[in-house]
Amino acid sequence: MHRISREIRFCYGHRLLHYDGKCRHLHGHNGKAVITLEAEQLDALGMVVDFTRLKQVVGDWIDEALDHKMLLHRDDPVLPYLRAQGEPVFVTDVNPTAENIARLIFDYAVAQGFPVLEVQLWETDTCQASYRRR
Ligand SMILES: [Zn+2]
């Protein structure tokens, strides 16, 4: 079995609803997604997937959809205010935790046809959440 991983760094803000800790306040992270692909067979070039293609497809989506955005639950009461101010937001159906951001990126990469094993989301240097299906 072959595996490759690519890191994609991005900045995001969020806050957690119904949470009794400091993450209930708006704050930001310099995050890092690590996308790991797996394949039994390599392609004709000897690759699982070209690192550049992974960066172009998933990295560009992260840049556009998540980078320098506030990731907020759709019920977050601050959402209408931020929208009225023209602030960029990414709205989620679930609490925008590291766990759920990892799954969001995982689902996007799978939908683009990549053979994704796992997505890790490093929220800080010491806190990481990961999502995989098996
Ligand atoms: Zn946070």
Side-chain angles (χ1 to χ4, degrees), residues 17 72-77 79-80 83 90-94 96:
L17 284 187
L72 294 171
H73 188 281
R74 62 181 150 79
D75 294 337
D76 195 309
L79 203 47
R83 280 181 162 146
F90 183 94
V91 179
T92 56
D93 292 332
V94 288

Side-chain angles (χ1 to χ4, degrees), residues 74-118:
R74 62 181 150 79
D75 294 337
D76 195 309
V78 82
L79 203 47
Y81 177 77
L82 289 179
R83 280 181 162 146
Q85 295 299 311
E87 291 296 325
V89 293
F90 183 94
V91 179
T92 56
D93 292 332
V94 288
N95 232 3
T97 57
E99 291 88 334
N100 282 323
I101 298 167
R103 177 162 189 178
L104 178 74
I105 296 167
F106 180 98
D107 288 345
Y108 179 82
V110 167
Q112 303 310 305
F114 291 105
V116 187
L117 173 69
E118 180 181 81

Side-chain angles (χ1 to χ4, degrees), residues 5-18:
S5 295
R6 172 122 201 182
E7 289 184 14
I8 295 168
R9 293 173 187 270
F10 64 105
C11 304
Y12 65 94
H14 71 166
R15 73 172 180 177
L16 305 183
L17 284 187
H18 315 299

Side-chain angles (χ1 to χ4, degrees), residues 14 23 27 29 123:
H14 71 166
C23 286
H27 65 283
H29 294 283
E123 193 159 79

Side-chain angles (χ1 to χ4, degrees), residues 1 3 24 29 31 37 41 49 55 75-76 88 99 102 104 111 116:
M1 196 64 81
R3 283 184 191 167
R24 72 179 186 274
H29 294 283
L37 309 183
Q41 304 293 329
V49 166
K55 170 75 168 77
D75 294 337
D76 195 309
E99 291 88 334
L104 178 74
V116 187

